[in-house]
Each structure stands twice: as C-alpha cells, then as structure tokens.
Amino acid sequence: MTLGLINANPVVHAKKERVAQQLSVLSEESITVDEKLGRILITFTPTIQHCSMATVIGLCLRVKLKECFPPHFKVDIKVAPGSHADEESVNKLLNDKERVAAALENPNLRQLVDECLYSNEL
Amino acid sequence: MAKLVIEGWIEVSLVYVVIGFFPLFLSRNFRVLFLIFLMRLESHLSSKAFIGFHYNLPPVLALALSSFWMEFLDANLELKEIQKLQGHTDRVWSIAWNPATAAADVPTVLASCSGDKTVRIWEQSPSTRSWDCKAVLEETHTRTVRSCAWSPSGKLLATASFDATTAIWENVGADFECVSTLEGHENEVKCVSWNASGSLLATCGRDKTVWIWEVMPGNEFECIQVLQGHTQDVKMVRWHPTMDILFSCSYDNTVKVWWSEDDDGDWSCVQTLGESSGHSSTVWSLDFNAKGDNLVTCSDDLTLKIWEADITRMQSGDGYAPWNHLCTLSGYHDRTIFSVHWSREGIIASGAADDAVRLFVQSKDGPMNEPSYRLLLKKEKAHDMDINSVQWCPGEKRILASASDDGTIKVWELATLC
C-alpha cells in the first residue's frame, strides 16, 4: 500500500536547481538551495486537490532533507500554490518545527515515514 | 601680528570646543545629524586655502569631542559570550533560572530541558565562576521535555513533556526527586507556569486546552479547571507577575487572557488579543515588564507586539482592565521569533530561528504620545541553529542565557566595549 503511495506521489515541475543529493521519494521537485545562507525552499505538488497524505509527504521530505544536508540548514516546505485545498494550513503545519518534532516522535507516524522513504530503496 | 593670530585662534578653538559639547544636549538622532554636519564643515574648511593647519584644528577638536560623547552616551554595548554549556544530546527547548538563587551570594542555578528527554541542572561554582552540570533528571519523561519552570520559592521544578505529563521535582540534598506527576492532557504538554505566589500552576498543550492546578500541601496537585477556548494548539502559558491573571499563546494566532473574579470562582476568558491589531500567525511566547503594565508577544509573523493595560485600576479591585495594542516592532526579524524576555531594566531580548539574539529598548525619540522601541543590538550567529529560548538572569548583573537547536546553552553578559 505504501509503495503504491510513493508511485502516486507528488510529481512536480522540473525546476531543479543545485540539488546536493538526489531525493529518492520524489521523482521531480522544485527546490531552491542557498548554500551560503544555508536555506532550502522546496515546493511539491500533491497529485490531487484534497490529498490527505500531503502532510505525510511533507514530513518525509523533511526527514530526507535532514539526512542529506548539514544540520544548520534551514528548510521551508510548501505545497505548490493553488495545488491543494488546504494549502495554508498544510504549509503552516509543515513549517511548525514543534509540531513536526512531536509528529516524528509518534511511533506510528514515524514508521509510516520510514516505510515511505526506505522501502522504495529495496 | 603673530600674537593677534594666536589669540584669534584660541578664541575660535574655544568656540569649537563648546560646539563639541552640543551632543550632550541632543537626542540620539540629532546627535548623528550633528556629527555629519561637523564632518561636512571640517572638510569644507580644510579645503580652503587658509594659512597653515591650525585653522582646521578647532573643528577637528569639536569633531573629536562629539564622537567621544556619542561613544560614551550610546554606550557601545556588546553581548559577550561567557560560557557554552554542553551536555544535551538533542535540541534544547527551554531554560529557566532559579529565582531564589539569583540573590545575594547564592550561586545561580539554571535548568534546561531537551528533546533528549532529560532535564539538566547547571550550577555556578563560587570558586571558578563557571557553570557545571550538577544533575541530570532522566528516566521519567518518555518523550521530549518541552518546558521547565521553577516555583517562586525555587524549591520545586515543574517540567512539561510531549509524553502528556507534567512532572514536579524537588531538590533533595544533591539530587532531584520526582515528587508528583500531573496527568490529564490528551497529548503533548507544551508549557508550564507558576503564579507569583506559587499557589497555582498552569499547563497547556496541543489538545487546545489550558489546565489550572492548585498546589496543595504535601506536593499534591489538584486540577481546578480545564479552560477551553483556543481553537488550536496552545504553545505557551504565563501568569502575570503580580496578579493571578493567566495568559496563553496559541497556534490560532491569538493570546487569551483568563481571569477569575472571585477566589473560588470560575476562570473564564476575559479577552482575546488577536482580532484586530493582533498577530497574523502562531504566537510563540510572551513576557511582562517589571511593573506588569506592559506585555510583549512574539510570533511566527516575524513581529513583536507591545501591549499595555491599566494595572493600577485592576490592582485596586476595579474589575478587569483590557490590554491595548501599543506598537509593533516589524522589519527586524526575517524568521520565526520563538522567545522573548523582558529584563528588570527594560531590555527586551528576542531569540529567533535565524540564530540571532536581538535586544530592544524603549526609544525616547518617538513622538510625544507614542512610545517606540529601537534595536539596541543584534548578535548574529549567536548559535549555529535556531534559538528556542532566551532568559534574563533575575539577579543584578546583565546576564542572559539562550538555548538552541544545536543542543547548547550559552550564557552571555551585556557589557560595554572597553
């Protein structure tokens, strides 16, 4: 089920700039990396307007980026404008580090994120 | 002939020396303009073909004097790092100075809590003047410890955790013992605060509620009320420094004020700061000035807001006096402001997600009836990562502590540059 989820995953515009490492969760993404300032802005497009997995996908992105970049890098994740019905609330949630930290401490959610990220590599 | 020239020169010099004292009487903005004026004058005079250099000396003297006063008056301050406390193995969320230890000759004690599920107690050694980790409070919380607060007496420490519990610790000899565990929140508890007398405790969490607990004898705690009202995650609670009024900050962009008319009465929300002139994103923290008549809030919307209320009216029992928005400090931060703390002297410290600590003071240059604040100093790269908490030490000296995602706590001193 989760594998199917990955394949039905956000596929975005190909505006790919200066990515340090390839992400294996998404096939194409829109990323802006400012290495000097240590900031990353990533926008992804959920496949449907009411995608219920948008927050999970965002979480997966955070975990993956944390692994790929040095710890001092600041990551901002947003859904592509106009691509989701709850765009504002999803963006707010994904960029609230306290909520993200608490979510990742939840064993069920953590397992889901790990499966999304790593089962694809098998 | 030479004598006349010399006398004339002395007179001119005296005039310029007097001019050099002008900055003492000017406000800060005018001092800068005055200095620019003097510099222009000096360069104008030196470009003229006067006899010898001594005609240029008087204005140069005035310039030197003015600059000296400006250095002296605007006291070049710096935030000097005194010590970096390392030990936590995950981000440090919150720090709290023990209020009882900042007095007299008692060594200062600092508590810190972290994502590594532990709380560390740091004590300043009287001989070496450095802070050492005195105790590690572990094996109690099973998830991130998000907030810690000392009781006003300094004898108890309350810690709030994502494991939905609040633990109360007591200093027993050289160690700390967990004497009580407060349960009730449905999920993560985000903050805990004691009231001024230490008779009440407040907690808040992601379940959108604020709980008020009464402190009973024998380290017993009883929940007296669960306050509903926020429509989202409550990030922080704080009691007013002199009265039993509770303030809560939330992900719903508002600050709610909770009050109970009588001692045994019900607590209810008497005001919501947020409808108009409120924040446009999550409010992370707030603090009061020493008098308790001003309040500062910080938010994800990158601004600090100052509010005021007629405290004397409230203290005289005349009913509730609402808080009004005074001013907004915007344009100083470019990332979320997580923490704000007001010192006894009136310096507001802010800790933000851009790794910087900023200090603000009230400015006397604003228009007569509108108080304004100015940036006193910005410490860039104070930490390697986001700053989650800033706390002024309650003692005499201008000591500030900051906690960061980089797992360290830094102790700073606000000192004048020699």
Side-chain angles (χ1 to χ4, degrees):
Chain A
M1 182 234 172
T2 43
L3 278 169
L5 164 76
I6 295 161
N7 294 331
N9 230 353
V11 173
V12 203
H13 284 309
K15 221 182 162 226
K16 198 169 164 183
E17 302 168 69
R18 300 192 71 207
V19 181
Q21 252 189 22
Q22 259 198 323
L23 297 183
S24 46
V25 174
L26 307 175
S27 45
E28 291 169 77
E29 57 283 319
S30 169
I31 310 174
T32 317
V33 179
D34 183 332
E35 273 178 46
K36 207 175 80 176
L37 273 180
R39 309 257 166 113
I40 302 167
L41 172 62
I42 185 164
T43 20
F44 68 98
T45 310
T47 44
I48 48 168
Q49 274 283 325
H50 294 274
C51 179
S52 55
M53 297 300 283
T55 47
V56 177
I57 293 161
L59 270 181
C60 292
L61 281 170
R62 279 208 178 267
V63 173
K64 193 67 190 181
L65 286 170
K66 205 161 128 180
E67 281 174 30
C68 300
F69 285 88
H72 69 272
F73 266 76
K74 299 188 192 289
V75 181
D76 289 314
I77 303 185
K78 302 211 153 126
V79 293
S83 64
H84 198 271
D86 294 321
E87 185 183 323
E88 263 184 56
S89 59
V90 170
N91 284 344
K92 194 175 178 184
L93 201 54
L94 287 177
N95 292 296
D96 180 327
K97 74 176 188 195
E98 194 186 43
R99 294 292 285 265
V100 170
L104 292 173
E105 277 187 3
N106 177 329
N108 297 327
L109 204 45
R110 187 78 220 215
Q111 190 183 11
L112 181 59
V113 167
D114 288 342
E115 277 178 22
C116 282
L117 288 177
Y118 304 114
S119 58
N120 200 30
E121 285 172 351
L122 288 169
Chain B
M1 170 67 182
K3 190 161 168 254
L4 276 171
V5 169
I6 290 167
E7 272 175 16
W9 184 84
I10 291 170
E11 274 166 20
V12 169
S13 301
L14 280 172
V15 171
Y16 273 101
V17 165
V18 168
I19 290 171
F21 277 80
F22 275 14
L24 284 174
F25 306 106
L26 300 173
S27 66
R28 192 174 184 275
N29 293 338
F30 284 109
R31 281 200 286 274
V32 176
L33 289 170
F34 186 73
L35 196 67
I36 293 169
F37 163 73
L38 272 185
M39 280 160 74
R40 290 234 173 98
L41 178 67
E42 195 273 319
S43 68
H44 169 79
L45 288 173
S46 62
S47 68
K48 299 283 184 190
F50 280 125
I51 315 157
F53 76 92
H54 45 272
Y55 269 90
N56 307 326
L57 204 55
V60 168
L61 274 176
L63 199 59
L65 259 176
S66 300
S67 308
F68 172 74
W69 295 130
M70 284 184 68
E71 290 289 297
F72 187 71
L73 289 169
D74 291 328
N76 261 340
L77 293 165
E78 63 155 352
L79 211 52
K80 207 167 67 177
E81 184 183 322
I82 298 183
Q83 201 183 338
K84 179 157 89 169
L85 310 178
Q86 289 171 296
H88 280 296
T89 53
D90 201 318
R91 61 173 26 131
V92 186
W93 279 110
S94 182
I95 40 182
W97 292 98
N98 187 323
T101 65
D105 306 311
V106 187
T108 50
V109 171
L110 178 69
S112 64
C113 56
S114 161
D116 64 10
K117 307 173 197 161
T118 71
V119 177
R120 278 176 182 254
I121 310 292
W122 311 84
E123 190 174 306
Q124 190 177 30
S125 149
S127 48
T128 64
R129 309 297 297 160
S130 74
W131 277 271
D132 306 307
C133 184
K134 184 180 134 176
V136 179
L137 281 48
E138 54 195 343
E139 263 138 60
T140 296
H141 285 301
T142 53
R143 283 180 61 177
T144 289
V145 189
R146 177 64 180 87
S147 169
C148 54
W150 293 95
S151 63
S153 64
K155 297 202 178 90
L156 299 174
L157 177 69
T159 57
S161 167
F162 282 359
D163 64 10
T165 69
T166 305
I168 310 292
W169 306 79
E170 193 172 3
N171 197 348
V172 179
D175 222 345
F176 280 78
E177 201 182 286
C178 177
V179 296
S180 189
T181 304
L182 278 50
E183 288 172 5
H185 276 285
E186 275 171 35
N187 43 47
E188 297 94 53
V189 189
K190 305 229 166 153
C191 191
V192 61
S193 175
W194 300 83
N195 71 340
S197 59
S199 59
L200 298 171
L201 192 65
T203 57
C204 66
R206 182 165 66 89
D207 59 7
K208 308 171 198 165
T209 61
V210 173
W211 290 52
I212 300 186
W213 309 78
E214 195 176 333
V215 185
M216 320 272 267
N219 291 326
E220 289 290 312
F221 293 80
E222 189 187 299
C223 172
I224 56 173
Q225 203 172 340
V226 175
L227 308 171
Q228 320 254 22
H230 278 296
T231 54
Q232 292 277 0
D233 182 12
V234 189
K235 298 290 193 190
M236 194 250 195
V237 277
R238 202 181 202 106
W239 289 96
H240 187 270
T242 57
M243 293 183 288
D244 280 347
I245 311 175
L246 184 62
F247 293 74
S248 58
C249 311
S250 168
Y251 184 95
D252 65 11
N253 310 350
T254 68
V255 172
K256 282 193 183 280
V257 187
W258 310 88
W259 190 56
S260 167
E261 253 193 87
D262 331 297
D263 270 345
D264 292 322
D266 262 351
W267 291 78
S268 63
C269 176
V270 288
Q271 195 182 358
T272 300
L273 309 177
E275 267 96 50
S276 58
S277 67
H279 285 289
S280 54
S281 191
T282 303
V283 187
W284 280 97
S285 184
L286 60 80
D287 194 28
F288 300 89
N289 64 345
K291 235 175 93 178
D293 63 348
N294 274 33
L295 163 69
V296 60
T297 54
C298 67
S299 163
D300 180 53
D301 68 2
L302 316 179
T303 67
L304 290 178
K305 284 184 188 278
I306 315 281
W307 311 75
E308 65 161 5
D310 189 353
I311 282 301
T312 38
R313 207 186 100 191
M314 281 209 76
Q315 279 165 339
S316 61
D318 221 0
Y320 180 73
W323 290 83
N324 302 306
H325 175 254
L326 258 190
C327 66
T328 299
L329 278 67
S330 55
Y332 297 101
H333 299 84
D334 62 345
R335 287 192 77 84
T336 308
I337 312 159
F338 287 117
S339 177
V340 68
H341 205 233
W342 215 321
S343 78
R344 312 251 75 198
E345 275 185 298
I347 307 173
I348 299 173
S350 76
D354 61 359
D355 317 343
V357 172
R358 288 170 180 79
L359 302 180
F360 297 88
V361 284
Q362 195 159 15
S363 165
K364 293 172 190 74
D365 297 324
M368 277 285 277
N369 45 357
E370 230 181 70
S372 67
Y373 287 78
R374 66 176 177 98
L375 181 69
L376 178 67
L377 107 74
K378 174 184 177 187
K379 185 76 187 178
E380 279 189 41
K381 292 262 137 249
H383 280 274
D384 296 328
M385 292 169 77
D386 288 11
I387 296 175
N388 298 319
S389 178
V390 284
Q391 291 283 302
W392 289 102
C393 182
E396 287 296 314
K397 295 176 88 179
R398 294 165 155 186
I399 305 278
L400 179 75
S402 59
S404 166
D405 274 355
D406 63 14
T408 69
I409 299 145
K410 287 194 181 177
V411 184
W412 310 86
E413 184 177 356
L414 182 61
T416 44
L417 271 173
C418 298

